Each structure stands twice: as C-alpha cells, then as structure tokens.
Amino acid sequence: MDEVTISSDLTAGLEPIIQLRSLNIGYGKSLAKDITAEIYTGDRIAIIGPSGVGKTTLLRTIAGLIAPLSGEINNNCSGRGDIGYIPQKLGLVRHSSAKSNVMLGARTRKSRLHLPFLGLGEELNKEVDQLLQKLGISEISDEPVRILSGGQQRRVAIARALIQKPKLIVADEFLGELDADNIDSIIDILETQLSEINATLVMVEHQENIARSLATRIWRIVDNQIIEERVE
Amino acid sequence: MNKKLLLWITVIGILTILAIDDIVEDWSTIDGSFEKIYIFFSQDLFPPDWSILSSEPNIKCNSEIGFFCSQAWKGISETLQMAFIATVLGFVISLPIASLAANNLYPLSIAMAARVFLAGLRSLPSIIWALIFTIAIGFGPFPGVLAMTLYTIGYLGKLQYEAIEGIANEPLEASMAMGLTKSERFLFVVIPESSNNLISQLLFMFEYNVRHGTVLGLVGAGGIGQYIDTNLKFFVYDKAMAFLIVIFVVVVIIDILSMVIRSYVTDESDFKRPKWWTVFLPGDAAMSINRKSLEEE
C-alpha cells in the first residue's frame, strides 16, 4: 500500500493528541506509506477496509506497541494509563477474576512507584464496583475470565480500559462475533462512558454499520489510500 | 510408509546397533544373566525385611507408636522434608531468574545471560552438587537440601521460562500499552497466566526431588538413601528392598495428590475433575478416559 494521506479540515484550530507524519508502517516490510493524520480529543475514529491492508498494524502503531519503519508520531498520550488497549482477542488475564482484570486498569491511576502488593484504596475499589455495575457484570466480578461468555468478556475488557480514564482507547474489532442485542447494548454503554471521561476512541471495525453507529470519523482504506469521511 | 521416513528409520536403527556393539565388548557376559537376576530377586531381595517399619532402639523418638520410631519413617520423613524445603526455596529463587530468561519479557541479551546461569546450575546433577556440599559442610541432610535447591533452581527455572514464553501475547501487549511497569506485568499478568503450568511444574519438581533425594543418601547427604546405602554396603538386600518399596508407595501417593491438586487449576477443572485412579495409566489412556467421562456428563 503506497501514498496514504488523510486530510481533514473539520478539526482545524484544535490541538491534536496524536499526530502521524509521513508514517511508513509494517513488520520489517512496509504495509502502508506516507500516512499523515491527526487524532483530536473526543474523536471517534473507525478504521475500515478489507483484510490485510494494515488496519491492525496502524492501530498497534498508534498504541505504541510497534515503532513505525519511518516517519514521525507526536504522541501526547505516552503517560501511564493514557492509552486503554482492547485487542482483537481482548487481552484479558484468563485465570484472574473479572474484577482483578479491571483492577489492573485501575492500577494505572496510581504512580509507577506504588508498590504492586499494596491495595489500590477504598475509593478506587468502590469506583471499580460502580463501573462493573454500570456494565452489568457486577454479579460475575469474582468469576475467572476464562469461564465468562464472549459478551461478558468484552464488557470486562471495556471496563478495564474505561477505569483507567485514558485519553485514548484503541480497540481492534472488539465487538466481533457478538449478537446484535449485545452489540447495541455495549455501544450504548461505551458512548455514555466515553463522553463521561472525555476519552478518544480509535477502533478497527470490519462491519461498516457498527463503525457508523459509533464513529464520528471513518478512515476507509481502499486501493492503497485512506479516505476520510465524517459521520453525521 | 514414506520412503524418506523408512530411510531415516533404517539409518537410526543401524547406528543404534553399531553403538550397542561398540559398548558391549563381550557378548558372552550376557549368558546366564537372566538367571542371575532371577536368583537375586527371589533369594536376596524377596521377601523384603519389614522390620524397617518397626521401632528402632537407635532412633531418638518420643512417640508411642512404633512406626514413627522406625528407620522407614525417619528416612522417608527426612527425605520429604529435604525435598519440600529444596522445592520451595528453588521455586522462590528460580521464578525471578526465569522471568529474566523469558524473551517475551526481557531483551535477548538479558534473557541469554539468565539462561546460561540456569544451564550452569542444571549441568551438574544433584548428586554431584551433594558430593561437593558434603565435602564442604559434612554429612547429613543440610548438604542434601543445598544440592537439591541448586538443581531445582536450574531445572525449574528452565521449565518456568518456557511456560512464561508460552503465555498469550495479547494480555502482555494490553498491559504494555496501558503503561504498567515490568514488575506489575510480571505479578498481575505473567504469573496468573502461567499459573497452571507453574503449579504443575512445582508439584512435578517436588516429586522429582523426593525420588532424587533417595539417591543423595548414597553420598552421605541424608534421607532414606543413607539407609539404603548402608544396607547395600552390608549386603542386606531384603531390607534395601523394603526401603525401595516404601519409596515407591510414597512416590505413587505424591503422584495422586499432585494430580488432584493440579486438577483444581486446569481449564477443564471448571467443569470436571479427572478420575484419581487414572494416575496408574499411561498419559494418553488417562487423558482419553478423563475426556470420555467429561463428554458423558
């Protein structure tokens, strides 16, 4: 994929939280070149396109998990807990309880020097319980993640990201394989919570209707180009 | 059968026969060996001398139950204590070293250094470590514990870093993206994710140390092996046989206990625990029976 550019003047004048400048991404071999884009606070961006065009690679680059082959990223989300990441397989600790997984996200709100074996405090604990309640998973909070249903696991992954109060949530096809009712319910919860904490969302989604129901901007990768579209 | 595979089997077969022929200098020594083994078993080893289960006047003991003042109890309890201490100490020390050796947590240069260290500890069998420590410290269970601990660190460390490297990458990546520190990732992601394997390996190592603890007595490093060694030196084979049967029974009991404990930490344990008696069957057969009973439910 070559010559990828994104232009948007709809957000002119705002300070971007992430700037991508002439980015060349891939694993050793280049998958996409010359990506230039800005991500602003409160954006809901959905990256869509056919398989193998580099959607997940772009997402992982934004999350800071892989370095670009060339180009520049100005990242204002590099602090502890600034990014909440929901990978395709959710990345939950399967043998830990649902609550322990969410507590992992809550831990990022404490300093790096906070000793691992110390508790997180009553207030944060209460906040976790409230969030689990809002997401409808308080009853299974002590169950190990491995025995939970797909929908419950997704709610745990979302709770883990939200409790961080991150600047940016990066999610990779995290609604895949869910039934329509579950998708609608999760989208409703996510929209409310994202607005509450004023977080930005960048997600990869292969189903366009889902992408449109959640996103305000769509980056469509077609024929080696990223075409940006505003969703009204 | 595939021609290439047949060729490989033939080559390996020929090499094996040549190696055996090279090692066995005089084939005539095998003549009558089965008869000798039969005589040894039927006349010297059997029947075992079970007096080792009765109270022994030389053993300091306050219990009124004779068995607890016996050589068998003294020996096996000492071996179990040695194995327990060595396994716990070895586990605690090897885990942080194993995390350094795992290349999904640390760069290759650090991982390689940790691996070389673990390989160094593993390269000497525990009996050689025991020999070194009995020379340095003297006879008794303490050098045995030190020997087993060092070997446990080397052996368990290798199993642990392989288990850590085998965990799913996504939870690790998610925690990296979140900004968790290395120690937080290790404690809250790596340990829970590899907990099944770590517990399983710990139990295996305890069982291994009990079995090897019996050998360490041969170099004066305490435990039941010391009794076996003394009896062998004085040709009291029937007593030695009784000690070996005691070890066999203890190892089987540990194996059953270890299987029961492990059954609580496997994924399948959420739905079904394996049948205890399958411990006596080969691995494949046991797995097939446990799976079948799971399907029936």
Side-chain angles (χ1 to χ4, degrees):
Chain A
M1 187 167 71
D2 293 314
E3 301 296 324
V4 177
T5 53
I6 302 167
S7 60
S8 171
D9 54 5
L10 292 163
T11 45
L14 294 173
E15 184 69 28
I17 56 167
I18 289 184
Q19 282 180 298
L20 313 176
R21 292 270 168 267
S22 307
L23 227 52
N24 180 4
I25 58 165
Y27 300 93
K29 189 183 157 197
S30 176
L31 271 172
K33 283 178 185 170
D34 291 330
I35 302 172
T36 296
E38 279 101 29
I39 300 169
Y40 295 89
T41 301
D43 269 347
R44 311 268 187 271
I45 298 170
I47 305 168
I48 61 174
S51 298
V53 292
K55 302 189 294 290
T56 296
T57 311
L58 178 58
L59 203 71
R60 283 161 56 82
T61 309
I62 292 169
L65 291 168
I66 49 171
L69 299 174
S70 64
E72 195 187 335
I73 302 179
N74 294 325
N75 192 344
N76 292 323
C77 303
S78 54
R80 179 168 160 95
D82 279 353
I83 293 180
Y85 181 52
I86 309 174
Q88 207 168 1
K89 289 179 186 165
L90 307 175
L92 296 170
V93 184
R94 293 176 65 250
H95 294 290
S96 294
S97 69
K99 188 171 177 180
S100 300
N101 272 277
V102 181
M103 292 301 271
L104 209 53
R107 190 163 283 280
T108 61
R109 288 178 43 195
K110 295 278 180 185
S111 127
R112 278 173 192 272
L113 300 174
H114 184 79
L115 292 173
F117 51 82
L118 291 181
L120 297 181
E122 204 178 316
E123 211 167 291
L124 205 47
N125 234 304
K126 210 168 153 189
E127 212 179 305
V128 168
D129 287 338
Q130 282 169 350
L131 184 61
L132 292 172
Q133 186 99 41
K134 280 181 192 167
L135 285 159
I137 46 173
S138 57
E139 279 176 13
I140 49 93
S141 65
D142 292 329
E143 300 290 344
V145 160
R146 65 180 186 272
I147 67 163
L148 302 182
S149 70
Q152 288 168 330
Q153 288 190 11
R154 275 162 178 81
R155 284 164 202 257
V156 175
I158 291 167
R160 183 183 62 184
L162 289 172
I163 197 72
Q164 290 177 227
K165 294 198 172 166
K167 290 180 182 170
L168 173 69
I169 292 180
V170 178
D172 192 357
E173 294 192 31
F174 69 115
L175 296 171
E177 296 169 24
L178 281 183
D179 58 74
D181 287 347
N182 243 321
I183 289 174
D184 289 345
S185 147
I186 288 178
I187 287 176
D188 282 349
I189 294 166
L190 195 57
E191 275 184 330
T192 316
Q193 295 299 314
L194 284 173
S195 306
E196 246 177 54
I197 60 172
N198 196 28
T200 304
L201 175 72
V202 178
M203 63 176 193
V204 164
E205 182 51 62
H206 72 281
Q207 293 185 58
E208 193 165 340
N209 58 332
I210 294 176
R212 285 185 176 280
S213 63
L214 198 52
T216 52
R217 294 165 70 188
I218 285 181
W219 292 355
R220 186 192 299 275
I221 306 179
V222 186
D223 296 332
N224 303 332
Q225 292 252 319
I226 292 183
I227 303 160
E228 177 164 346
E229 186 188 327
R230 190 88 181 174
V231 180
E232 295 303 329
Chain B
M1 192 188 285
N2 178 318
K3 272 185 185 171
K4 215 173 173 181
L5 184 65
L6 198 66
L7 184 71
W8 272 111
I9 292 172
T10 313
V11 170
I12 290 169
I14 291 169
L15 285 174
T16 310
I17 291 166
L18 288 175
I20 292 172
D21 192 48
D22 192 43
I23 283 172
V24 182
E25 288 171 359
D26 182 7
W27 285 97
S28 66
T29 54
I30 293 173
D31 285 348
S33 57
F34 288 108
E35 202 183 336
K36 284 177 203 162
I37 290 172
Y38 176 74
I39 292 168
F40 180 58
F41 264 82
S42 61
Q43 293 179 7
D44 295 329
L45 295 178
F46 282 92
D49 181 354
W50 292 113
S51 66
I52 62 158
L53 300 177
S54 311
S55 177
E56 168 68 41
N58 296 335
I59 293 173
K60 283 182 190 171
C61 172
N62 296 325
S63 174
E64 287 176 11
I65 303 165
F67 172 69
F68 292 119
C69 301
S70 67
Q71 287 183 350
W73 175 254
K74 171 87 171 32
I76 202 69
S77 61
E78 195 170 274
T79 297
L80 286 171
Q81 284 176 56
M82 285 164 63
F84 182 77
I85 298 167
T87 310
V88 171
L89 286 179
F91 180 81
V92 171
I93 300 168
S94 65
L95 198 55
I97 302 172
S99 79
L100 295 173
N103 61 20
N104 54 347
L105 298 183
Y106 285 92
L108 197 62
S109 54
I110 296 176
M112 281 312 291
R115 282 172 192 216
V116 168
F117 176 70
L118 291 173
L121 292 178
R122 214 169 47 243
S123 61
L124 288 187
S126 49
I127 195 158
I128 304 292
W129 285 118
L131 199 62
I132 293 168
F133 285 118
T134 46
I135 291 167
I137 301 169
F139 295 119
F142 185 50
V145 168
L146 291 179
M148 272 199 270
T149 304
L150 283 193
Y151 190 74
T152 301
I153 296 168
Y155 197 93
L156 204 52
K158 180 180 167 62
L159 296 177
Q160 284 168 341
Y161 77 69
E162 283 175 355
I164 292 171
E165 284 177 354
I167 67 172
N169 205 28
E170 293 208 335
L172 273 179
E173 280 197 345
S175 57
M176 273 169 75
M178 285 156 69
L180 291 175
T181 62
K182 274 198 161 77
S183 57
E184 287 171 331
R185 289 210 295 272
F186 181 65
L187 284 173
F188 302 114
V189 178
V190 172
I191 290 186
E193 277 295 274
S194 50
S195 57
N196 283 356
N197 282 329
L198 296 181
I199 292 170
S200 203
Q201 289 160 2
L202 184 70
L203 294 165
F204 165 77
M205 203 66 221
F206 177 62
E207 183 207 313
Y208 180 93
N209 279 339
V210 171
R211 279 186 283 114
H212 278 247
T214 62
V215 183
L216 299 189
L218 302 180
V219 292
I224 201 169
Q226 222 152 354
Y227 290 101
I228 297 174
D229 183 44
T230 311
N231 284 302
L232 288 177
K233 273 181 186 156
F234 291 100
F235 306 109
V236 191
Y237 294 123
D238 50 356
K239 266 195 179 180
M241 187 63 196
F243 278 114
L244 291 176
I245 292 172
V246 168
I247 293 167
F248 172 74
V249 171
V250 170
V251 168
V252 168
I253 292 171
I254 291 172
D255 206 9
I256 292 171
L257 285 176
S258 126
M259 193 188 74
V260 172
I261 297 169
R262 264 182 288 154
S263 75
Y264 283 89
V265 292
T266 58
D267 280 10
E268 279 195 354
S269 69
D270 297 323
F271 312 101
K272 172 87 184 123
R273 304 206 187 294
K275 296 189 183 304
W276 68 269
W277 49 266
T278 53
V279 74
F280 296 107
L281 302 175
D284 287 352
M287 204 178 286
S288 137
I289 287 170
N290 285 323
R291 194 168 292 147
K292 203 172 169 189
S293 58
L294 178 68
E295 283 163 9
E296 279 167 8
E297 286 213 343

